[in-house]
Amino acid sequence: RKEVEQDPGPFNVPEGATVAFNCTYSNSASQSFFWYRQDCRKEPKLLMSVYSSGNEDGRFTAQLNRASQYISLLIRDSKLSDSATYLCVVKEVSNFGNEKLTFGTGTRLTIIP
Amino acid sequence: NAGVTQTPKFQVLKTGQSMTLQCAQDMNHNSMYWYRQDPGMGLRLIYYSASEGTTDKGEVPNGYNVSRLNKREFSLRLESAAPSQTSVYFCASSKTPFTSGELFFGEGSRLTVL
């Protein structure tokens, strides 16, 4: 089982719609969670961190469900500029105290005019 | 505001050739990383440098070497390139190792090994 799993999509969504996608992680001891955005043939950029109580940044809402070991990203009133691949990232600490970030393979989102 | 700069952006190598990918950051970050990105695999950590003077192996270090030349620069060397090393390579930096989860990436280097 992959450490971090995402539905690769593509999600094709009309402009103005709401879209949500999930990411599951296998290590219950994972500490921190993030969503990155990657435009086609560009570098990844941090979109938002995911806090235990859930957090919102404009049209974007991130949620964490530790019991079921998944995080979600909700995009409201989607814009054409939201078209991108969204990467789920999980921070873990090993038994030896080493930290690492594990990246999911990404979910591709296309907003249709 | 340059951020993280990688060179070259594109490279084609023949099997067995060597090359070095260069990376520099101007954000005074302590930690630097090299990742590779392959279709269906996600970003995988090759090597990282938590601070100047230290380097550590990541998930997929075989076939690569790194040098943290100074606080700004972190290079990745392929001594004898193999077709399996065809990938997009990203250099990244952060203030502290992994802690905040915010990595700043370069634009990527697309390497093809024939």
Side-chain angles (χ1 to χ4, degrees):
Chain A
R1 183 185 172 185
K2 285 185 181 176
E3 294 176 53
V4 177
E5 288 203 68
Q6 297 183 251
D7 181 342
F11 285 57
N12 298 316
V13 173
E15 191 174 7
T18 295
V19 60
F21 25 85
N22 291 341
C23 163
T24 58
Y25 59 95
S26 60
N27 184 350
S28 60
S30 297
Q31 293 190 333
S32 308
F33 309 88
F34 312 90
W35 284 103
Y36 273 69
R37 171 195 168 124
Q38 186 173 22
D39 292 323
C40 187
R41 300 181 72 80
K42 297 286 190 181
E43 73 274 21
K45 293 182 180 178
L46 180 66
L47 178 67
M48 58 197 302
S49 302
V50 185
Y51 302 124
S52 298
S53 54
N55 49 298
E56 196 172 296
D57 183 1
R59 299 181 292 107
F60 297 81
T61 300
Q63 297 275 1
L64 167 63
N65 185 316
R66 282 196 182 272
S68 300
Q69 294 183 210
Y70 74 85
I71 66 172
S72 63
L73 180 67
L74 178 83
I75 306 174
R76 289 182 301 278
D77 186 24
S78 53
K79 312 289 184 193
L80 295 177
S81 57
D82 295 333
S83 297
T85 296
Y86 291 84
L87 308 176
C88 170
V89 182
V90 174
K91 191 181 88 170
E92 302 170 288
V93 179
S94 73
N95 292 337
F96 303 102
N98 298 321
E99 294 183 329
K100 69 169 186 174
L101 293 178
T102 300
F103 284 77
T105 55
T107 296
R108 191 152 61 95
L109 173 66
T110 301
I111 306 301
I112 304 164
Chain B
N1 192 7
V4 179
T5 305
Q6 294 180 230
T7 56
K9 289 195 172 29
F10 301 93
Q11 183 73 49
V12 178
L13 291 177
K14 293 181 180 177
T15 297
Q17 286 185 319
S18 62
M19 77 159 298
T20 299
L21 298 175
Q22 307 284 356
C23 175
Q25 52 92 8
D26 63 2
M27 295 174 282
N28 201 34
H29 284 168
N30 290 310
S31 304
M32 297 185 73
Y33 315 82
W34 277 104
Y35 285 88
R36 60 178 289 175
Q37 188 173 36
D38 303 291
M41 298 293 291
L43 281 153
R44 291 182 293 167
L45 183 63
I46 304 170
Y47 271 94
Y48 69 100
S49 171
S51 60
E52 187 179 356
T54 69
T55 60
D56 286 286
K57 294 178 180 179
E59 186 183 351
V60 288
N62 292 343
Y64 306 94
N65 284 302
V66 290
S67 295
R68 183 75 183 267
L69 303 168
N70 48 54
K71 191 171 186 179
R72 290 187 64 246
E73 298 172 288
F74 189 39
S75 63
L76 178 72
R77 183 160 179 83
L78 287 70
E79 290 292 350
S80 179
S84 60
Q85 293 178 304
T86 293
S87 188
V88 181
Y89 291 85
F90 287 100
C91 177
S93 71
S94 64
K95 280 186 184 176
T96 52
F98 303 118
T99 305
S100 71
E102 182 166 20
L103 304 185
F104 293 83
F105 286 87
E107 293 183 337
S109 299
R110 283 168 173 75
L111 175 66
T112 301
V113 183
L114 302 175

